[in-house]
Amino acid sequence: MFRTPAAAALLRRLGPRVSGGGGGASTHRRLAPPVSSSILSRYSSTPTSSPSPPPPSDAAADGDNRAESGGSGSSLSITIDRSGLYNPPEHSHEQSLDSELVKHLKSIIKFRSGPISVAEYMEEVLTNPQSGFYINRDVFGTSGDFITSPEVSQMFGEMTGVWAMCLWEQMGQPEKVNLIELGPGRGTLLADLLRGSAKFVNFTKALDINLVECSPTLQKVQYNTLKCEDEPIGDETRTVSKLCGAPVHWHASLEQVPSGLPTIIIAHEFYDALPIHQFQPTASLLFLSKRCGWASSEELEKVEHIEVCPKAMEITEQIADRISSDGGGALIIDYGKDGIVSDSLQAIRKHKFVHILDNPGSADLSAYVDFASIRHSAKEASDDISVHGPMTQSQFLGSLGINFRVEALLQNCATDEQAESLRTGYWRLVGDGEAPFWEGPDDQTPIGMGTRYLAMAIVNKKQGTPVPFE
């Protein structure tokens, strides 16, 4: 795979330094195991009120409440048959084992007297303001629940930076540009991008960094990863990354990011966490569903269920509208398919697959990204944008020069361990399946993500075809 001339020129100027990154084993993506009866029992419905007591028996009404009188001096006795009275179960004072999120989900189901959708369940589990999976903790890396490409190797962020700088040059090198990352995780990708582009002063000076992040915990992690400091400006303060001197802002949604500047958007493993709906393809649904309208009858006949992500369509339309009006482009990298997706919802906790209903809020939920849906959504939103790809992550990184980058970094490794970390990180990013060179423990064999992840670009037509989609 050959790098493009523009990428090659930028690649030669990247620093030879090896940063601390590199990670543990990545988790294989597969379908979750069947649900166990013990899990299902926790979601059984409970009565909304106590059942009505049964009517008293005829025997109790006619005979057992009688007063029996005998002769003079006889005692008076009354007997009551309680067999027909309602006896409520004994109240338990033991603390419920359900988490606060499970109690919240049960209360929603109870209030509606019926089930909630898969999309609602995903949204509550991942982003509930009090107990959502992403809200109150750092879930990334070997000590978390899963590993993403930026955590595997610094080269991923550096190659993404090469793409961003190439796009910036195609845009005419504007003096100011909005650099937006959707779902930045720890901020590792952006930190490596900024370090790698540090020599390109005109590019870093132009950046106004905007992070779309709903988790207060991860916002703090990103603040530290980007070496941020608060600087006074008159009566106010602004946050600046000391990695490049660019201002940094946080937003809860893309809509909150100010418009009006040329824009570069990066969405890495963002779309896979957006809530999906799962449907069976019925005639009425096909008529109503925009997604099914984009699919051929042959494609629909091959699946029993269809996953549709309205949130992905909505955000893609926002991206297309912004790029259409402000100029620029967006890079989307995620695992998924270029077509209809069926039955891909999965849960991961501590690098292992678990059932999606097992202790909600303690595991990540994600689903395959439907790249065909993203392409159609973008094209329908604006005639001024063009969509390119998807191509595999291996093709994307290879065209940008990762092969040459790993060779340069290997020459500057101080230890054998550092070199081994680079080699395994490189394989995880571009390889396919198990690494053939691995001689360590079998349970730590590096697994390549190069063909499982896809890259797609959405750009303003004025910029032409972006690197490396020519």
Side-chain angles (χ1 to χ4, degrees):
M1 189 64 64
F2 296 97
R3 53 190 171 164
T4 63
L10 295 172
L11 193 65
R12 284 193 294 269
R13 296 181 61 190
L14 290 179
R17 184 179 59 83
V18 180
S19 69
S26 60
T27 305
H28 295 276
R29 299 282 183 178
R30 59 172 174 80
L31 293 182
V35 62
S36 65
S37 57
S38 61
I39 296 174
L40 286 176
S41 64
R42 297 180 62 189
Y43 289 85
S44 60
S45 59
T46 56
T48 57
S49 61
S50 300
S52 302
S57 66
D58 292 340
D62 293 341
D64 291 320
N65 288 339
R66 295 173 300 185
E68 298 182 354
S69 60
S72 176
S74 63
S75 63
L76 181 66
S77 65
I78 298 176
T79 60
I80 299 176
D81 180 6
R82 294 182 174 84
S83 62
L85 297 180
Y86 170 65
N87 296 307
E90 183 178 352
H91 179 69
S92 172
H93 292 278
E94 294 182 4
Q95 186 175 2
S96 171
L97 298 179
D98 289 341
S99 67
E100 291 302 315
L101 184 57
V102 170
K103 293 177 183 177
H104 175 64
L105 291 168
K106 284 184 173 182
S107 68
I108 296 175
I109 294 170
K110 181 177 179 180
F111 176 77
R112 295 184 181 178
S113 299
I116 60 175
S117 68
V118 173
E120 289 175 296
Y121 177 76
M122 275 189 78
E123 188 166 14
E124 288 288 349
V125 167
L126 295 179
T127 59
N128 178 278
Q130 281 72 45
S131 309
F133 176 75
Y134 287 109
I135 298 302
N136 299 315
R137 57 195 177 115
D138 179 2
V139 300
F140 300 94
T142 54
S143 60
D145 294 278
F146 56 89
I147 296 173
T148 60
S149 295
E151 305 295 334
V152 167
S153 172
Q154 70 185 70
M155 293 182 289
F156 186 85
E158 290 171 347
M159 295 301 102
T160 304
V162 170
W163 180 87
M165 286 186 284
C166 287
L167 179 63
W168 175 70
E169 289 185 345
Q170 287 180 293
M171 296 161 63
Q173 301 185 8
E175 294 184 359
K176 286 297 179 182
V177 61
N178 268 340
L179 177 60
I180 304 172
E181 185 173 5
L182 307 179
R186 284 177 167 170
T188 306
L189 185 157
L190 188 55
D192 289 333
L193 184 158
L194 295 176
R195 290 191 188 98
S197 60
K199 293 183 178 180
F200 304 89
V201 180
N202 289 339
F203 172 72
T204 55
K205 276 186 177 180
L207 297 180
D208 191 9
I209 299 172
N210 293 271
L211 304 180
V212 177
E213 178 60 69
C214 65
S215 167
T217 299
L218 290 177
Q219 287 182 9
K220 294 177 182 177
V221 174
Q222 294 153 12
Y223 183 97
N224 293 328
T225 301
L226 297 177
K227 310 296 183 186
C228 290
E229 292 183 4
D230 295 331
E231 295 182 347
I233 300 181
D235 296 333
E236 300 180 352
T237 60
R238 72 168 186 168
T239 301
V240 174
S241 170
K242 292 303 179 181
L243 294 177
C244 65
V248 183
H249 317 273
W250 280 266
H251 313 273
S253 68
L254 178 59
E255 292 175 309
Q256 296 179 6
V257 180
S259 58
L261 289 178
T263 300
I264 299 174
I265 299 175
I266 298 170
H268 173 255
E269 290 210 44
F270 170 77
Y271 275 83
D272 67 295
L274 298 177
I276 62 163
H277 291 278
Q278 291 182 327
F279 299 108
Q280 290 182 323
T282 63
S284 60
L285 177 64
L286 295 181
F287 178 76
L288 296 172
S289 172
K290 177 187 288 188
R291 177 60 188 95
C292 292
W294 295 329
S296 66
S297 57
E298 292 80 7
E299 187 178 13
L300 293 171
E301 288 173 358
K302 296 178 182 179
V303 297
E304 294 182 359
H305 297 85
I306 299 173
E307 289 180 354
V308 179
C309 186
K311 192 70 174 177
M313 297 179 186
E314 177 185 326
I315 290 177
T316 301
E317 290 170 0
Q318 293 176 19
I319 291 174
D321 287 339
R322 184 179 290 260
I323 292 172
S324 175
S325 61
D326 296 344
L331 176 65
I332 300 167
I333 302 179
D334 227 311
Y335 64 97
K337 294 176 58 179
D338 190 14
I340 288 283
V341 176
S342 176
D343 290 334
S344 72
L345 181 61
Q346 57 196 5
I348 297 176
R349 182 193 303 120
K350 297 298 180 184
H351 308 278
K352 295 182 179 179
F353 286 90
V354 296
H355 196 274
I356 60 173
L357 296 181
D358 186 10
N359 195 12
S362 69
D364 179 44
L365 296 181
S366 62
Y368 274 44
V369 175
D370 182 349
F371 280 89
S373 175
I374 293 176
R375 178 171 57 250
H376 286 292
S377 297
K379 288 183 175 180
E380 286 193 0
S382 174
D383 293 329
D384 297 324
I385 60 93
S386 59
V387 183
H388 305 269
M391 63 170 58
T392 67
Q393 178 172 288
S394 179
Q395 293 172 313
F396 177 78
L397 296 176
S399 297
L400 290 173
I402 192 173
N403 303 335
F404 302 93
R405 180 59 175 161
V406 70
E407 290 175 3
L409 291 174
L410 284 170
Q411 294 175 4
N412 290 276
C413 287
T415 65
D416 291 341
E417 290 78 8
Q418 200 172 46
E420 185 68 17
S421 177
L422 268 175
R423 280 190 288 267
T424 57
Y426 169 78
W427 178 262
R428 288 193 176 105
L429 293 179
V430 303
D432 182 14
E434 296 184 353
F437 58 82
W438 183 250
E439 297 179 353
D442 290 342
D443 61 347
Q444 298 179 22
T445 303
I447 306 297
M449 300 183 290
T451 57
R452 290 160 51 203
Y453 281 70
L454 303 177
M456 174 180 277
I458 304 171
V459 300
N460 190 296
K461 288 181 178 179
K462 294 179 181 179
Q463 271 85 247
T465 303
V467 172
F469 295 90
E470 298 96 336

